Amino acid sequence: GNSVTQMEGPVTLSEEAFLTINCTYTATGYPSLFWYVQYPGEGLQLLLKATKADDKGSNKGFEATYRKETTSFHLEKGSVQVSDSAVYFCALSESGGGADGLTFGKGTHLIIQP
Amino acid sequence: DTGVSQDPRHKITKRGQNVTFRCDPISEHNRLYWYRQTLGQGPEFLTYFQNEAQLEKSRLLSDRFSAERPKGSFSTLEIQRTEQGDSAMYLCASRPAGARDYGYTFGSGTRLTVV
């Protein structure tokens, strides 16, 4: 079956540091890949997505590249801010038939200190 | 449109009671999904609808869980004979059909506490 593995948190960084959150996946087909963010007390928000190999998703200074050869979709940001503190979820959506739901990783809690 | 709405935001119930949650999707989204999120975990897919048809329900956690979307608009998720292990955040999401890569819009969730 499908699965998503993210690096364990919490990840604590200082403001303006470089961020990488690792995500790898297992899927039987050709999934689309997503990063969602959950701020305290709020619902999940789509941060970025990529639908095929070598696509790069980007939004709000965050980037992630769909790497089929390494089955990875690592999230990066060059200079984090305190407002980036949240829980980040990597997810995939399987192509073709099947349940059509998203498969999520466990989430990575990011804490940015001023 | 104000996005995906879920009601109530919080529900505390005694073990053994039945509970029902409501989700109102974005009006032009004909696909609607239910997820469960427990503490420290990512959301877990439960079921989904296209219009009023429930296209996947094998992942509902037990026969105590059921969902409906009778007119293809709002949906309800019911848990009968609640157990303490049912305590979790229940999330609803929607998207247009045929737009698998569109991204899902999530509601803020209903937090259930079973005491």
Side-chain angles (χ1 to χ4, degrees):
Chain A
N2 299 334
S3 66
V4 175
T5 302
Q6 293 181 232
M7 61 190 295
E8 296 286 328
V11 173
T12 303
L13 296 173
S14 298
E15 203 166 22
E16 299 183 2
F18 184 87
L19 168 71
T20 300
I21 300 177
N22 290 338
C23 170
T24 57
Y25 68 89
T26 301
T28 53
Y30 301 94
S32 293
L33 301 173
F34 305 85
W35 277 100
Y36 279 83
V37 58
Q38 189 171 36
Y39 298 102
E42 298 185 15
L44 290 162
Q45 299 176 24
L46 177 65
L47 181 59
L48 54 83
K49 65 181 173 73
T51 59
K52 60 183 186 297
D54 300 324
D55 270 2
K56 178 184 283 187
S58 61
N59 186 25
K60 299 181 181 180
F62 291 89
E63 294 183 340
T65 301
Y66 189 150
R67 299 290 188 198
K68 189 169 185 295
E69 64 276 13
T70 55
T71 61
S72 65
F73 193 54
H74 304 322
L75 182 68
E76 296 182 336
K77 187 175 185 182
S79 177
V80 293
Q81 306 300 313
V82 172
S83 58
D84 294 327
S85 298
V87 181
Y88 292 81
F89 292 93
C90 186
L92 69 82
S93 176
E94 184 66 273
S95 63
D100 196 47
L102 288 167
T103 300
F104 284 87
K106 292 185 177 182
T108 302
H109 187 193
L110 176 65
I111 301 169
I112 306 301
Q113 296 178 333
Chain B
D1 198 335
T2 57
V4 178
S5 299
Q6 291 190 245
D7 183 69
R9 290 293 304 271
H10 302 275
K11 176 70 176 179
I12 300 174
T13 191
K14 292 183 178 180
R15 188 174 52 187
Q17 297 294 305
N18 299 344
V19 293
T20 301
F21 311 138
R22 176 179 170 124
C23 171
D24 287 87
I26 292 173
S27 56
E28 60 266 29
H29 288 184
N30 48 8
R31 287 206 172 176
L32 184 150
Y33 302 78
W34 285 99
Y35 290 81
R36 183 181 78 160
Q37 185 179 15
T38 54
L39 197 62
Q41 302 294 317
E44 176 186 12
F45 170 69
L46 297 178
T47 187
Y48 86 105
F49 295 84
Q50 178 160 313
N51 301 314
E52 66 275 10
Q54 191 172 11
L55 298 186
E56 173 61 56
K57 55 183 178 181
S58 66
R59 298 190 189 184
L60 286 168
L61 300 163
S62 78
D63 58 7
R64 297 183 296 105
F65 287 72
S66 63
E68 293 183 338
R69 195 183 182 195
K71 297 181 180 179
S73 57
F74 73 91
S75 176
T76 57
L77 178 70
E78 181 182 18
I79 309 173
Q80 297 182 327
R81 306 180 303 281
T82 53
E83 302 173 356
Q84 287 190 322
D86 297 332
S87 296
M89 177 76 83
Y90 291 85
L91 298 169
C92 178
S94 70
R95 71 168 175 85
R100 178 181 62 85
D101 304 329
Y102 180 86
Y104 300 63
T105 302
F106 281 83
S108 297
T110 294
R111 181 168 296 283
L112 172 67
T113 302
V114 182
V115 297

